[in-house]
Amino acid sequence: MNLLEYLLRGGPIMYLLLPMSAIALAVITERLVYIRREKIGTFRILAILRKGALGEQGIGDVRKLLEDSNKKHLIVGKILSLFLDRKISEGDIEHLVEAEALLEEKRLKEWMWILDTTITMAPLLGLLGTIMGIISSFHVMSISGLGKPAQITGGVAEALIATATGLVIAIISLGFYNMLNTQIREIRNGIESSARLLFHLQEHLTRSDTSRSVSGSAPQAGFHAQGQPELNLR
């Protein structure tokens, strides 16, 4: 008897639990790949901006990194590329960055509701399977008494398999759900830190066209912090 045949002994409720586990696994795999890509991109930009704030990195490198990240459709690149738009006034950038960050955060949490639902529903479906198995056992007992122990124990086994399966699915989904949410918070904090550093470098970014024209003949100088407005991306 293979694993699938054994699980199907858990009764009709398994025809709901098994597809649910497959969907949850697909969501976990997709989110792990996507969020890992976003996290690497975010902290790469943050590292360059830190060097820039210390005068160890040229403004041209910062601009190029932001442009490349935006072309790769990274969330951090899309948000921070607002600093490269010369049509946006300095006073509007803060509000636009906050609005864009809230909007893009939905992309990080996309499909997470499926895991949240699985965490809640899988144990309930397992409990339902338990009840159905016990009802089946009592039904056999009411008809034949204790003369058919195999059928009675079969109903109990059905109940235990469904319960165990529901709990395993919920436990695994909960672990990955918490891990993914932790990584999303790290990305959000990284974007906020990057935005604060870019506020420091905003004046240099507005003059980056001139800096790039000079970069062919001389190395670019570092840059130092300017005043920083309040920013809250949470």
Side-chain angles (χ1 to χ4, degrees):
M1 180 185 298
N2 58 36
L3 179 61
L4 180 60
E5 291 177 349
Y6 178 78
L7 291 176
L8 290 178
R9 290 179 59 189
I13 207 70
M14 298 300 297
Y15 290 98
L16 294 176
L17 285 174
L18 293 180
M20 179 179 292
S21 66
I23 294 173
L25 181 61
V27 171
I28 289 170
T29 303
E30 188 272 340
R31 287 291 92 185
L32 282 174
V33 174
Y34 179 78
I35 290 177
R36 181 177 182 274
R37 173 175 174 265
E38 293 291 340
K39 184 177 179 180
I40 291 174
T42 297
F43 283 92
R44 182 186 175 200
I45 288 179
L46 181 59
I48 295 296
L49 291 174
R50 284 173 175 169
K51 291 181 179 179
L54 296 174
E56 299 174 358
Q57 197 79 38
I59 189 66
D61 294 330
V62 174
R63 170 178 279 275
K64 184 177 185 302
L65 186 59
L66 294 179
E67 291 175 344
D68 290 344
S69 298
N70 192 25
K71 290 177 182 178
K72 293 178 181 177
H73 303 290
L74 292 175
I75 289 177
V76 64
K78 187 173 183 180
I79 294 173
L80 301 183
S81 63
L82 293 171
F83 287 91
L84 304 179
D85 192 342
R86 302 181 65 180
K87 298 178 182 179
I88 302 176
S89 65
E90 182 176 346
D92 292 335
I93 287 182
E94 178 184 356
H95 302 292
L96 289 175
V97 168
E98 290 181 7
E100 191 68 27
L102 291 174
L103 181 64
E104 293 298 324
E105 189 176 354
K106 293 182 179 180
R107 290 173 55 190
L108 291 173
K109 294 183 177 180
E110 194 173 16
W111 309 118
M112 294 290 286
W113 65 270
I114 294 179
L115 292 183
D116 193 13
T117 302
T118 300
I119 292 167
T120 304
M121 186 176 292
L124 294 178
L125 288 175
L127 179 61
L128 178 60
T130 299
I131 294 173
M132 293 173 62
I134 292 175
I135 290 175
S136 176
S137 296
F138 276 107
H139 179 68
V140 172
M141 290 175 61
S142 66
I143 295 176
S144 59
L146 299 177
K148 296 182 178 180
Q151 294 186 18
I152 296 173
T153 55
V156 175
E158 175 182 319
L160 295 177
I161 291 173
T163 301
T165 303
L167 289 174
V168 169
I169 293 172
I171 291 170
I172 294 175
S173 298
L174 178 61
F176 280 103
Y177 180 81
N178 288 334
M179 183 187 72
L180 291 171
N181 271 326
T182 299
Q183 293 187 0
I184 289 173
R185 285 194 297 270
E186 291 176 358
I187 293 172
R188 185 180 61 193
N189 292 337
I191 293 174
E192 181 175 353
S193 298
S194 299
R196 289 179 178 273
L197 289 171
L198 275 175
F199 275 120
H200 278 298
L201 311 176
Q202 189 172 357
E203 180 181 347
H204 296 275
L205 283 172
T206 57
R207 299 200 306 256
S208 61
D209 289 336
T210 303
S211 300
R212 284 192 297 173
S213 65
V214 177
S215 62
S217 58
Q220 294 175 352
F223 27 82
H224 302 283
Q226 306 294 327
Q228 177 185 345
E230 291 297 325
L231 178 67
N232 182 12
L233 300 183
R234 290 187 175 86

